[in-house]
Coordinates of all heavy atoms in Angstrom, one line a residue:
M1 N 0.9 -1.2 0.0 CA -0.1 -0.1 0.0 C 0.9 1.2 0.0 O 1.9 1.3 0.7 CB -0.9 0.0 1.2 CG -1.8 1.1 1.3 SD -3.2 0.7 2.2 CE -4.2 2.2 2.0
P2 N 0.6 2.2 -0.8 CA 1.4 3.5 -0.9 C 1.3 4.2 0.5 O 0.3 4.3 1.0 CB 0.7 4.3 -2.0 CG -0.1 3.4 -2.8 CD -0.5 2.3 -1.8
T3 N 2.5 4.8 0.8 CA 2.6 5.5 2.1 C 2.4 6.9 1.9 O 2.3 7.8 2.8 CB 3.9 5.1 2.8 OG1 5.0 5.4 2.0 CG2 3.9 3.7 3.1
S4 N 2.6 7.5 0.7 CA 2.5 8.9 0.4 C 1.9 9.2 -0.9 O 1.7 8.3 -1.7 CB 3.9 9.4 0.5 OG 4.7 9.1 -0.7
A5 N 1.6 10.4 -1.1 CA 1.0 10.7 -2.4 C 1.9 10.4 -3.6 O 1.6 9.9 -4.7 CB 0.6 12.2 -2.4
H6 N 3.3 10.6 -3.3 CA 4.2 10.4 -4.3 C 4.2 8.9 -4.7 O 4.3 8.4 -5.8 CB 5.5 10.8 -4.0 CG 6.7 10.5 -4.8 ND1 6.7 11.1 -6.1 CD2 7.8 9.6 -4.7 CE1 7.9 10.6 -6.8 NE2 8.5 9.7 -6.0
D7 N 4.3 8.0 -3.6 CA 4.2 6.5 -3.9 C 3.0 6.1 -4.6 O 3.0 5.2 -5.4 CB 4.3 5.9 -2.5 CG 5.7 5.9 -1.8 OD1 6.6 6.3 -2.5 OD2 5.7 5.9 -0.6
F8 N 1.8 6.7 -4.2 CA 0.6 6.4 -4.9 C 0.7 6.8 -6.4 O 0.3 6.0 -7.2 CB -0.5 7.2 -4.2 CG -1.9 7.0 -5.0 CD1 -2.6 5.9 -4.8 CD2 -2.4 7.9 -5.8 CE1 -3.8 5.5 -5.3 CE2 -3.7 7.6 -6.5 CZ -4.3 6.4 -6.2
Q9 N 1.3 7.9 -6.8 CA 1.4 8.2 -8.1 C 2.3 7.3 -8.9 O 2.0 6.9 -10.0 CB 1.9 9.6 -8.3 CG 1.0 10.8 -7.9 CD 1.6 12.1 -7.9 OE1 2.9 12.2 -7.8 NE2 0.8 13.2 -7.9
L10 N 3.4 6.8 -8.2 CA 4.3 5.9 -8.9 C 3.5 4.5 -9.1 O 3.6 3.9 -10.2 CB 5.5 5.7 -8.0 CG 6.5 6.9 -8.0 CD1 7.6 6.5 -7.0 CD2 6.9 7.2 -9.3
S11 N 2.7 4.1 -8.1 CA 2.0 2.8 -8.2 C 0.9 2.9 -9.4 O 0.7 1.9 -9.9 CB 1.4 2.4 -6.9 OG 0.4 3.3 -6.5
C12 N 0.4 4.1 -9.5 CA -0.7 4.1 -10.5 C -0.2 4.1 -11.9 O -0.9 3.7 -12.7 CB -1.4 5.5 -10.3 SG -2.5 5.6 -8.9
R13 N 1.1 4.3 -12.0 CA 1.6 4.2 -13.5 C 1.8 2.8 -13.9 O 1.9 2.5 -15.1 CB 3.1 4.8 -13.4 CG 3.1 6.3 -13.3 CD 4.4 6.9 -13.3 NE 4.4 8.3 -13.1 CZ 5.3 9.0 -12.4 NH1 6.4 8.4 -11.9 NH2 5.1 10.3 -12.2
H14 N 1.6 1.9 -12.9 CA 1.8 0.5 -13.3 C 0.4 -0.2 -13.6 O 0.3 -1.4 -14.0 CB 2.5 -0.4 -12.2 CG 3.8 0.1 -11.9 ND1 4.8 -0.1 -12.8 CD2 4.4 0.9 -11.0 CE1 5.9 0.4 -12.3 NE2 5.6 1.0 -11.2
V15 N -0.7 0.6 -13.5 CA -2.0 0.1 -13.8 C -2.2 -0.1 -15.3 O -1.9 1.0 -16.0 CB -3.1 1.0 -13.1 CG1 -4.5 0.5 -13.6 CG2 -2.9 0.9 -11.7
N16 N -2.8 -1.1 -15.8 CA -3.0 -1.3 -17.3 C -4.3 -0.5 -17.6 O -5.3 -1.1 -17.4 CB -3.0 -2.7 -17.6 CG -3.3 -2.8 -19.1 OD1 -3.3 -2.0 -19.9 ND2 -3.5 -4.2 -19.5
M17 N -4.2 0.7 -18.2 CA -5.4 1.5 -18.5 C -6.0 1.0 -19.8 O -6.9 1.6 -20.3 CB -5.1 2.9 -18.5 CG -4.8 3.4 -17.1 SD -6.1 3.2 -15.9 CE -7.3 4.1 -16.4
A18 N -5.3 0.1 -20.5 CA -5.8 -0.3 -21.8 C -6.9 -1.4 -21.7 O -7.5 -1.7 -22.6 CB -4.6 -0.9 -22.6
S19 N -7.1 -1.9 -20.5 CA -8.1 -3.0 -20.4 C -9.5 -2.2 -20.4 O -9.6 -1.0 -20.0 CB -7.9 -3.7 -19.0 OG -8.1 -2.8 -17.9
R20 N -10.4 -3.0 -20.7 CA -11.9 -2.5 -21.0 C -12.7 -3.2 -19.8 O -12.4 -4.3 -19.4 CB -12.4 -2.8 -22.3 CG -11.6 -2.0 -23.3 CD -12.0 -2.3 -24.6 NE -13.4 -2.0 -24.9 CZ -13.9 -0.7 -25.3 NH1 -13.2 0.2 -25.5 NH2 -15.2 -0.6 -25.6
I21 N -13.8 -2.6 -19.5 CA -14.8 -3.1 -18.5 C -16.1 -3.4 -19.3 O -16.6 -2.6 -19.9 CB -15.1 -2.1 -17.4 CG1 -13.8 -1.8 -16.6 CG2 -16.2 -2.7 -16.5 CD1 -14.0 -0.7 -15.6
D22 N -16.4 -4.7 -19.4 CA -17.4 -5.1 -20.3 C -18.8 -5.1 -19.5 O -19.9 -5.1 -20.2 CB -17.2 -6.5 -21.0 CG -16.0 -6.4 -21.9 OD1 -15.9 -5.4 -22.5 OD2 -15.2 -7.3 -22.0
A23 N -18.9 -5.2 -18.3 CA -20.1 -5.4 -17.5 C -20.2 -4.5 -16.4 O -20.0 -5.0 -15.3 CB -20.3 -7.0 -17.1
A24 N -20.4 -3.3 -16.7 CA -20.5 -2.3 -15.5 C -22.0 -2.1 -15.2 O -22.9 -2.2 -15.9 CB -19.9 -1.0 -16.0
A25 N -22.2 -1.7 -13.9 CA -23.5 -1.5 -13.4 C -23.9 -0.1 -13.8 O -23.0 0.7 -14.1 CB -23.5 -1.7 -11.9
K26 N -25.2 0.1 -14.0 CA -25.7 1.4 -14.5 C -25.2 2.5 -13.5 O -24.9 3.6 -13.9 CB -27.2 1.4 -14.7 CG -27.6 0.6 -15.9 CD -29.1 0.7 -16.0 CE -29.6 -0.2 -17.1 NZ -31.1 -0.1 -17.3
C27 N -25.4 2.2 -12.2 CA -24.9 3.2 -11.2 C -23.5 3.5 -11.3 O -23.1 4.6 -11.0 CB -25.5 2.7 -9.9 SG -24.6 1.3 -9.1
E28 N -22.7 2.5 -11.6 CA -21.3 2.9 -11.8 C -21.0 3.8 -12.9 O -20.2 4.8 -12.8 CB -20.5 1.5 -12.1 CG -19.0 1.7 -12.4 CD -18.3 0.4 -12.7 OE1 -19.0 -0.7 -12.6 OE2 -17.2 0.6 -13.1
L29 N -21.7 3.6 -14.1 CA -21.5 4.5 -15.2 C -22.0 5.9 -14.9 O -21.4 6.9 -15.3 CB -22.3 4.1 -16.4 CG -21.7 2.7 -17.1 CD1 -22.6 2.2 -18.1 CD2 -20.3 3.1 -17.6
R30 N -23.1 5.9 -14.1 CA -23.7 7.3 -13.7 C -22.7 8.0 -12.8 O -22.6 9.2 -12.8 CB -25.0 7.1 -13.2 CG -26.1 6.6 -14.1 CD -27.4 6.3 -13.5 NE -28.3 5.5 -14.3 CZ -29.3 4.8 -14.0 NH1 -29.5 4.5 -12.8 NH2 -30.0 4.2 -14.9
S31 N -22.1 7.2 -11.9 CA -21.1 7.8 -11.0 C -19.9 8.4 -11.8 O -19.5 9.5 -11.4 CB -20.7 6.8 -10.0 OG -21.7 6.3 -9.2
V32 N -19.5 7.7 -12.7 CA -18.4 8.2 -13.6 C -18.9 9.4 -14.2 O -18.0 10.5 -14.3 CB -17.9 7.1 -14.6 CG1 -16.9 7.6 -15.6 CG2 -17.4 5.9 -13.9
I33 N -20.0 9.5 -14.8 CA -20.7 10.7 -15.5 C -20.6 11.9 -14.5 O -20.1 13.0 -14.8 CB -21.9 10.4 -16.1 CG1 -21.9 9.5 -17.2 CG2 -22.6 11.8 -16.5 CD1 -23.3 9.0 -17.8
R34 N -21.1 11.6 -13.3 CA -21.2 12.7 -12.3 C -19.8 13.1 -12.0 O -19.7 14.5 -11.8 CB -22.0 12.1 -11.0 CG -22.2 13.1 -10.0 CD -23.1 12.5 -8.9 NE -23.3 13.5 -7.9 CZ -23.3 13.4 -6.6 NH1 -23.0 12.2 -6.2 NH2 -23.4 14.3 -5.8
F35 N -18.9 12.3 -11.6 CA -17.5 12.7 -11.4 C -17.0 13.6 -12.5 O -16.4 14.7 -12.3 CB -16.7 11.5 -11.1 CG -15.2 11.8 -10.9 CD1 -14.7 12.3 -9.6 CD2 -14.4 11.6 -11.9 CE1 -13.5 12.5 -9.4 CE2 -12.9 11.9 -11.7 CZ -12.5 12.4 -10.5
L36 N -17.0 13.0 -13.8 CA -16.4 13.8 -14.8 C -17.0 15.1 -15.1 O -16.3 16.0 -15.5 CB -16.3 12.9 -16.2 CG -15.5 11.6 -16.1 CD1 -15.6 10.8 -17.2 CD2 -14.0 12.0 -15.9
L37 N -18.3 15.1 -15.0 CA -19.1 16.3 -15.2 C -18.6 17.4 -14.0 O -18.4 18.6 -14.3 CB -20.6 16.1 -15.0 CG -21.4 17.3 -15.4 CD1 -21.3 17.7 -16.8 CD2 -23.0 17.0 -15.0
A38 N -18.4 16.9 -12.8 CA -18.0 17.9 -11.8 C -16.6 18.4 -12.0 O -16.2 19.5 -11.5 CB -18.0 17.1 -10.4
E39 N -15.8 17.6 -12.8 CA -14.4 18.1 -13.2 C -14.6 19.1 -14.3 O -13.6 19.8 -14.6 CB -13.5 16.9 -13.7 CG -13.0 16.1 -12.6 CD -11.9 15.2 -13.2 OE1 -12.1 14.7 -14.4 OE2 -11.1 14.9 -12.5
G40 N -15.7 19.3 -14.8 CA -15.9 20.3 -15.9 C -16.0 19.7 -17.3 O -15.9 20.6 -18.2
N41 N -15.9 18.3 -17.5 CA -16.0 17.9 -18.8 C -17.3 18.0 -19.5 O -18.4 18.0 -18.8 CB -15.6 16.3 -18.7 CG -14.3 16.2 -18.3 OD1 -13.3 16.3 -19.0 ND2 -14.0 15.7 -17.1
S42 N -17.4 18.1 -20.7 CA -18.6 18.2 -21.6 C -19.1 16.8 -21.7 O -18.5 15.8 -21.5 CB -18.4 18.8 -22.9 OG -17.6 17.9 -23.7
A43 N -20.4 16.7 -22.0 CA -21.1 15.4 -22.2 C -20.4 14.6 -23.3 O -20.2 13.5 -23.3 CB -22.6 15.6 -22.6
A44 N -20.0 15.4 -24.3 CA -19.2 14.7 -25.5 C -17.9 14.1 -25.1 O -17.6 13.0 -25.5 CB -19.0 15.6 -26.7
E45 N -17.2 14.8 -24.2 CA -15.9 14.4 -23.7 C -16.1 13.1 -22.8 O -15.4 12.3 -22.8 CB -15.3 15.4 -23.0 CG -13.8 15.0 -22.4 CD -12.8 14.5 -23.3 OE1 -12.9 14.8 -24.7 OE2 -11.8 13.8 -23.0
I46 N -17.2 13.3 -21.9 CA -17.5 12.1 -21.0 C -17.8 10.9 -21.9 O -17.3 9.8 -21.5 CB -18.8 12.5 -20.1 CG1 -18.2 13.6 -19.2 CG2 -19.2 11.3 -19.5 CD1 -19.4 14.2 -18.3
Q47 N -18.5 11.1 -22.9 CA -18.8 9.9 -23.8 C -17.6 9.3 -24.4 O -17.5 8.1 -24.4 CB -19.9 10.3 -24.9 CG -20.2 9.2 -25.8 CD -20.9 8.0 -25.2 OE1 -21.5 8.1 -24.1 NE2 -20.9 6.9 -25.9
R48 N -16.7 10.2 -24.9 CA -15.4 9.7 -25.5 C -14.7 8.9 -24.4 O -14.2 7.9 -24.7 CB -14.7 10.9 -26.1 CG -15.0 11.4 -27.4 CD -14.1 12.3 -28.0 NE -14.1 13.5 -27.3 CZ -15.0 14.5 -27.6 NH1 -15.9 14.5 -28.5 NH2 -14.8 15.7 -26.9
R49 N -14.6 9.5 -23.2 CA -13.7 8.9 -22.2 C -14.3 7.5 -21.8 O -13.7 6.6 -21.5 CB -13.6 9.8 -21.0 CG -12.7 11.1 -21.5 CD -12.4 12.0 -20.2 NE -11.6 11.2 -19.2 CZ -11.2 11.9 -18.1 NH1 -11.6 13.1 -18.0 NH2 -10.5 11.3 -17.2
K50 N -15.6 7.5 -21.5 CA -16.4 6.4 -21.2 C -16.1 5.2 -22.2 O -16.0 4.1 -21.8 CB -17.8 6.6 -21.0 CG -18.7 5.5 -20.5 CD -20.1 5.7 -20.6 CE -20.6 5.8 -22.0 NZ -20.5 4.5 -22.7
S51 N -16.3 5.6 -23.5 CA -16.1 4.5 -24.5 C -14.8 3.9 -24.7 O -14.7 2.9 -25.2 CB -16.6 5.1 -25.8 OG -15.8 6.1 -26.3
R52 N -13.8 4.6 -24.1 CA -12.5 4.0 -24.1 C -12.3 2.8 -23.2 O -11.5 2.0 -23.4 CB -11.4 5.0 -23.7 CG -11.1 6.1 -24.9 CD -10.0 6.9 -24.4 NE -10.3 8.3 -25.1 CZ -10.1 9.5 -24.3 NH1 -9.6 9.5 -23.1 NH2 -10.4 10.5 -25.0
V53 N -13.1 2.9 -22.1 CA -13.0 1.9 -21.0 C -14.2 0.9 -21.0 O -14.0 -0.2 -20.8 CB -12.8 2.6 -19.7 CG1 -12.8 1.6 -18.5 CG2 -11.6 3.5 -19.7
Y54 N -15.4 1.5 -21.2 CA -16.5 0.7 -21.0 C -17.0 0.2 -22.5 O -16.7 0.9 -23.4 CB -17.7 1.3 -20.3 CG -17.4 1.8 -18.9 CD1 -16.8 3.0 -18.6 CD2 -17.6 0.9 -17.9 CE1 -16.5 3.4 -17.2 CE2 -17.3 1.2 -16.6 CZ -16.7 2.4 -16.3 OH -16.4 2.7 -15.0
C55 N -17.8 -0.8 -22.5 CA -18.4 -1.1 -23.8 C -19.1 0.0 -24.5 O -19.9 0.7 -23.8 CB -19.4 -2.3 -23.6 SG -18.6 -3.9 -23.2
D56 N -18.9 0.3 -25.7 CA -19.5 1.3 -26.4 C -21.0 1.3 -26.4 O -21.6 2.4 -26.4 CB -19.0 1.4 -27.9 CG -17.4 1.7 -27.9 OD1 -17.0 2.3 -27.0 OD2 -16.8 1.2 -29.0
N57 N -21.5 0.1 -26.5 CA -23.0 0.0 -26.6 C -23.7 0.1 -25.4 O -24.9 -0.2 -25.3 CB -23.3 -1.1 -27.5 CG -22.9 -2.5 -26.9 OD1 -22.4 -2.5 -25.9 ND2 -23.1 -3.6 -27.6
F58 N -23.0 0.1 -24.2 CA -23.7 0.1 -22.9 C -24.5 1.3 -22.6 O -25.5 1.1 -22.0 CB -22.7 -0.2 -21.7 CG -23.3 -0.6 -20.5 CD1 -23.8 -2.0 -20.4 CD2 -23.6 0.3 -19.6 CE1 -24.3 -2.4 -19.1 CE2 -24.2 -0.1 -18.3 CZ -24.6 -1.5 -18.2
M59 N -24.1 2.4 -23.0 CA -24.9 3.7 -22.7 C -24.6 4.6 -23.9 O -23.4 5.0 -24.2 CB -24.4 4.4 -21.4 CG -25.2 5.6 -21.0 SD -24.6 6.2 -19.5 CE -25.5 5.3 -18.3
S60 N -25.7 5.0 -24.5 CA -25.5 5.8 -25.8 C -25.1 7.3 -25.3 O -25.3 7.7 -24.2 CB -26.8 5.9 -26.6 OG -27.8 6.7 -25.7
G61 N -24.6 8.1 -26.3 CA -24.3 9.5 -26.2 C -25.5 10.2 -25.6 O -25.4 11.1 -24.8
G62 N -26.8 10.0 -26.2 CA -27.9 10.6 -25.7 C -28.3 10.4 -24.2 O -28.7 11.3 -23.5
V63 N -28.0 9.2 -23.8 CA -28.2 8.9 -22.4 C -27.2 9.5 -21.5 O -27.5 10.1 -20.5 CB -28.3 7.4 -22.2 CG1 -28.3 7.0 -20.7 CG2 -29.4 6.7 -23.0
V64 N -25.9 9.6 -22.0 CA -24.9 10.4 -21.3 C -25.3 11.9 -21.1 O -25.3 12.4 -20.0 CB -23.6 10.3 -21.9 CG1 -22.6 11.3 -21.3 CG2 -23.1 8.8 -21.9
R65 N -25.8 12.5 -22.2 CA -26.2 13.8 -22.2 C -27.4 14.1 -21.3 O -27.5 15.1 -20.5 CB -26.7 14.3 -23.6 CG -25.5 14.6 -24.5 CD -25.9 15.2 -25.8 NE -26.8 14.4 -26.6 CZ -26.5 13.5 -27.4 NH1 -25.2 13.2 -27.6 NH2 -27.4 12.8 -28.1
E66 N -28.4 13.1 -21.3 CA -29.6 13.1 -20.3 C -29.1 13.1 -18.9 O -29.6 14.0 -18.1 CB -30.5 11.9 -20.6 CG -31.6 11.8 -19.7 CD -32.4 10.6 -19.9 OE1 -32.4 10.0 -21.0 OE2 -33.2 10.2 -19.0
W67 N -28.2 12.2 -18.5 CA -27.6 12.2 -17.2 C -26.9 13.5 -16.8 O -26.9 13.9 -15.7 CB -26.9 10.9 -16.9 CG -27.8 9.8 -16.6 CD1 -28.4 8.8 -17.4 CD2 -28.5 9.5 -15.4 NE1 -29.2 8.0 -17.0 CE2 -29.4 8.5 -15.6 CE3 -28.5 10.1 -14.1 CZ2 -30.2 8.0 -14.5 CZ3 -29.3 9.8 -13.2 CH2 -30.1 8.6 -13.3
C68 N -26.1 14.0 -17.7 CA -25.5 15.2 -17.5 C -26.5 16.4 -17.2 O -26.2 17.1 -16.2 CB -24.6 15.7 -18.7 SG -23.1 14.7 -18.9
R69 N -27.5 16.4 -17.9 CA -28.6 17.4 -17.6 C -29.2 17.2 -16.2 O -29.4 18.1 -15.4 CB -29.7 17.3 -18.6 CG -29.4 18.1 -19.9 CD -30.6 18.2 -20.8 NE -31.2 16.9 -21.3 CZ -30.8 16.2 -22.2 NH1 -29.8 16.7 -23.0 NH2 -31.4 15.2 -22.5
K70 N -29.4 16.0 -15.8 CA -30.0 15.7 -14.5 C -29.0 16.1 -13.4 O -29.5 16.7 -12.4 CB -30.3 14.1 -14.4 CG -31.5 13.6 -15.2 CD -31.7 12.2 -15.1 CE -32.8 11.7 -16.0 NZ -33.0 10.3 -15.8
F71 N -27.7 15.8 -13.6 CA -26.8 16.2 -12.6 C -26.7 17.7 -12.5 O -26.6 18.3 -11.4 CB -25.5 15.5 -12.7 CG -25.5 14.0 -12.5 CD1 -25.1 13.1 -13.4 CD2 -26.1 13.4 -11.4 CE1 -25.0 11.7 -13.2 CE2 -26.2 12.0 -11.2 CZ -25.6 11.3 -12.1
K72 N -26.6 18.3 -13.6 CA -26.6 19.9 -13.7 C -27.8 20.4 -12.9 O -27.6 21.4 -12.3 CB -26.4 20.4 -15.1 CG -25.1 20.1 -15.6 CD -25.1 20.8 -17.1 CE -23.7 20.5 -17.7 NZ -23.7 20.9 -19.1
D73 N -28.9 19.8 -13.0 CA -30.1 20.2 -12.5 C -30.2 20.0 -10.9 O -31.2 20.2 -10.3 CB -31.4 19.7 -13.2 CG -31.6 20.3 -14.6 OD1 -31.0 21.4 -14.9 OD2 -32.3 19.7 -15.4
G74 N -29.2 19.3 -10.4 CA -29.1 19.1 -9.0 C -29.3 17.6 -8.6 O -29.2 17.3 -7.4
R75 N -29.6 16.7 -9.4 CA -29.7 15.3 -9.0 C -28.4 14.7 -8.6 O -27.4 15.1 -9.2 CB -30.1 14.4 -10.1 CG -30.3 13.1 -9.7 CD -31.1 12.2 -10.7 NE -31.0 10.8 -10.3 CZ -31.9 10.0 -10.7 NH1 -32.9 10.3 -11.6 NH2 -32.0 8.7 -10.3
A76 N -28.3 14.2 -7.4 CA -27.1 13.5 -6.7 C -27.1 12.0 -6.7 O -26.2 11.4 -6.8 CB -27.0 14.0 -5.4
D77 N -28.4 11.4 -6.9 CA -28.6 10.0 -6.8 C -28.3 9.3 -8.2 O -28.7 9.8 -9.2 CB -30.0 9.6 -6.4 CG -30.3 8.2 -6.1 OD1 -29.3 7.5 -6.1 OD2 -31.5 7.8 -6.0
V78 N -27.4 8.4 -8.1 CA -27.0 7.6 -9.3 C -27.8 6.4 -9.5 O -27.6 5.7 -10.5 CB -25.6 7.4 -9.4 CG1 -24.7 8.6 -9.4 CG2 -25.1 6.4 -8.2
H79 N -28.7 6.0 -8.6 CA -29.5 4.9 -8.8 C -30.8 5.1 -9.4 O -31.4 6.2 -9.4 CB -29.7 4.2 -7.3 CG -28.4 3.8 -6.7 ND1 -27.8 2.7 -7.0 CD2 -27.7 4.5 -5.7 CE1 -26.7 2.7 -6.4 NE2 -26.6 3.8 -5.5
D80 N -31.5 4.0 -10.0 CA -32.7 4.1 -10.6 C -33.8 4.6 -9.5 O -33.6 4.2 -8.4 CB -33.2 2.9 -11.2 CG -32.4 2.5 -12.4 OD1 -32.1 3.3 -13.1 OD2 -32.2 1.3 -12.6
A81 N -34.8 5.4 -10.0 CA -35.9 5.8 -9.2 C -36.6 4.4 -8.7 O -36.8 3.5 -9.6 CB -36.8 6.7 -9.9
E82 N -37.1 4.2 -7.6 CA -37.8 3.1 -7.1 C -39.1 2.8 -7.9 O -39.8 3.8 -8.2 CB -38.2 3.1 -5.6 CG -38.7 1.8 -5.1 CD -38.6 1.7 -3.5 OE1 -37.6 2.4 -3.0 OE2 -39.3 1.0 -3.1
G83 N -39.2 1.6 -8.3 CA -40.5 1.3 -9.2 C -40.3 1.3 -10.7 O -41.2 1.0 -11.3
Q84 N -39.1 1.8 -11.1 CA -38.8 1.7 -12.5 C -38.2 0.5 -12.9 O -37.3 -0.1 -12.3 CB -38.0 3.0 -12.8 CG -38.7 4.3 -12.7 CD -37.9 5.4 -13.3 OE1 -36.7 5.3 -13.5 NE2 -38.5 6.5 -13.4

């Protein structure tokens, strides 16, 4: 386990970022969208970044834009509404 921020940065360089995640939960993808949006990324950039790691067909660009709008409007919950 890294003992300092410097050690953490060094250990992160050894992570294989070329791997893809094929079976992500919807709430995981929404969390990623919320995080990247908070960093100031556009919906288009979020879609590009998401498609590099997650299956391209798991969430369309339109759905990414929809969730960006929801989060910009104040939604914080990444889970489906109950009963849907």
Side-chain angles (χ1 to χ4, degrees):
M1 177 151 192
T3 57
S4 70
H6 178 68
D7 292 338
F8 179 75
Q9 289 173 342
L10 291 175
S11 67
C12 287
R13 291 184 185 142
H14 300 288
V15 175
N16 180 7
M17 294 304 292
S19 64
R20 296 178 58 87
I21 299 171
D22 292 326
K26 289 180 182 181
C27 62
E28 177 183 349
L29 291 173
R30 293 172 189 157
S31 296
V32 171
I33 292 168
R34 186 172 179 225
F35 174 80
L36 293 174
L37 186 64
E39 282 191 328
N41 292 286
S42 68
E45 178 60 20
I46 292 170
Q47 177 65 19
R48 279 192 291 276
R49 291 180 68 179
K50 182 194 70 66
S51 68
R52 285 185 216 139
V53 177
Y54 297 95
C55 287
D56 294 333
N57 61 359
F58 193 82
M59 185 180 280
S60 70
V63 174
V64 170
R65 287 189 300 278
E66 176 185 342
W67 278 98
C68 285
R69 280 192 300 274
K70 289 178 182 183
F71 292 132
K72 285 179 183 178
D73 289 343
R75 181 171 177 154
D77 188 7
V78 297
H79 298 283
D80 289 326
E82 192 160 331
Q84 290 186 351

